[in-house]
Amino acid sequence: AQTVTQSQPEMSVQEAETVTLSCTYDTSESDYYLFWYKQPPSRQMILVIRQEAYKQQNATENRFSVNFQKAAKSFSLKISDSQLGDAAMYFCASSDTGRRALTFGSGTRLQVQP
Amino acid sequence: NAGVTQTPKFQVLKTGQSMTLQCAQDMNHEYMSWYRQDPGMGLRLIHYSVGAGITDQGEVPNGYNVSRSTTEDFPLRLLSAAPSQTSVYFCASSPSRGYGYTFGSGTRLTVV
């Protein structure tokens, strides 16, 4: 069974600075995908970034990038030039061949200070 | 293109009542799934489907029933509501496992 762990319940960052959210996962599969989702106060779930396990290169989407360490089963999210609109809950999730749906971590609440 | 549509957005039920949460997508996605979100616990998988006529249980399936008769619809049935089922429910769909899921806007359910 997959497990996803987010050990930081809350994080805070100053506007325009950089913050890194941590995530570790466990799976017995070799074929899997990893995701970061953002949930603002509107409660809508928004896909931020995805990573394919067989790709060595870390995914990047504008100000968002990941540090994917496959051997360590670590998948952290870096947000550069933080903006007030980045304030939200962030969830790490995985999907493998054993279960064709998402397994989520418990989330990290990110506050952005002006 | 409406994406994933969930109805209702809010619902209050009495203990023991039954109801169906509706989920429909217009993107011809094969994969659909239901999650519940409780404070401090992230989203937990209830049931999922990889195509019409195929469903499977997730982490927390007890008290819930699903069926998938069409590609578009994936309703979630609460058989006999309990206060422990008070939660926010999300439906999601995806064209494939690695593509990323599109979520509906959620249903806030309160069981009294």
Side-chain angles (χ1 to χ4, degrees):
Chain A
Q2 304 170 75
T3 59
V4 177
T5 303
Q6 293 179 251
S7 59
Q8 304 156 315
E10 290 194 17
M11 294 281 287
S12 183
V13 63
Q14 292 291 128
E15 199 174 2
E17 305 223 322
T18 296
V19 64
T20 298
L21 308 184
S22 301
C23 173
T24 58
Y25 63 93
D26 194 15
T27 175
S28 57
E29 305 281 341
S30 59
D31 178 14
Y32 57 91
Y33 297 84
L34 299 166
F35 307 89
W36 279 97
Y37 279 86
K38 172 185 178 181
Q39 186 180 44
S42 66
R43 89 180 178 207
Q44 183 65 45
M45 295 289 289
I46 302 165
L47 178 63
V48 174
I49 200 165
R50 60 185 283 273
Q51 175 78 43
E52 300 167 47
Y54 60 87
K55 286 192 173 178
Q56 300 273 11
Q57 189 172 5
N58 289 325
T60 299
E61 289 286 344
N62 301 314
R63 298 182 294 107
F64 298 88
S65 61
V66 298
N67 183 6
F68 175 44
Q69 300 288 329
K70 192 170 184 177
K73 294 185 176 177
S74 171
F75 183 61
S76 59
L77 175 70
K78 185 172 83 171
I79 306 173
S80 304
D81 185 25
S82 296
Q83 301 175 357
L84 294 177
D86 295 334
M89 283 291 290
Y90 286 83
F91 292 99
C92 180
S94 69
S95 174
D96 68 19
T97 53
R99 173 180 287 170
R100 296 179 183 181
L102 296 171
T103 298
F104 284 90
S106 56
T108 296
R109 182 174 301 281
L110 178 66
Q111 296 181 325
V112 180
Q113 307 296 336
Chain B
N1 189 343
V4 179
T5 302
Q6 286 186 241
T7 55
K9 293 195 184 310
F10 301 93
Q11 183 71 49
V12 179
L13 283 181
K14 293 183 179 178
T15 298
Q17 286 185 317
S18 62
M19 79 160 294
T20 299
L21 305 185
Q22 301 291 346
C23 176
Q25 52 92 7
D26 61 358
M27 299 171 285
N28 202 32
H29 287 175
E30 291 296 327
Y31 290 11
M32 295 187 74
S33 45
W34 276 101
Y35 304 84
R36 59 177 289 173
Q37 183 176 20
D38 302 296
M41 302 187 72
L43 283 77
R44 292 181 292 168
L45 179 66
I46 304 171
H47 287 285
Y48 66 101
S49 169
V50 297
I54 306 169
T55 63
D56 206 346
Q57 296 182 350
E59 302 170 61
V60 289
N62 293 340
Y64 307 95
N65 210 352
V66 292
S67 60
R68 183 110 179 259
S69 56
T70 67
T71 299
E72 295 78 19
D73 299 301
F74 190 43
L76 178 72
R77 284 181 284 277
L78 279 70
L79 308 173
S80 176
S84 60
Q85 293 179 304
T86 293
S87 189
V88 178
Y89 291 84
F90 287 96
C91 178
S93 74
S94 177
S96 68
R97 181 171 54 86
Y99 195 79
Y101 281 75
T102 300
F103 280 77
S105 57
T107 296
R108 180 174 293 278
L109 175 68
T110 303
V111 183
V112 298

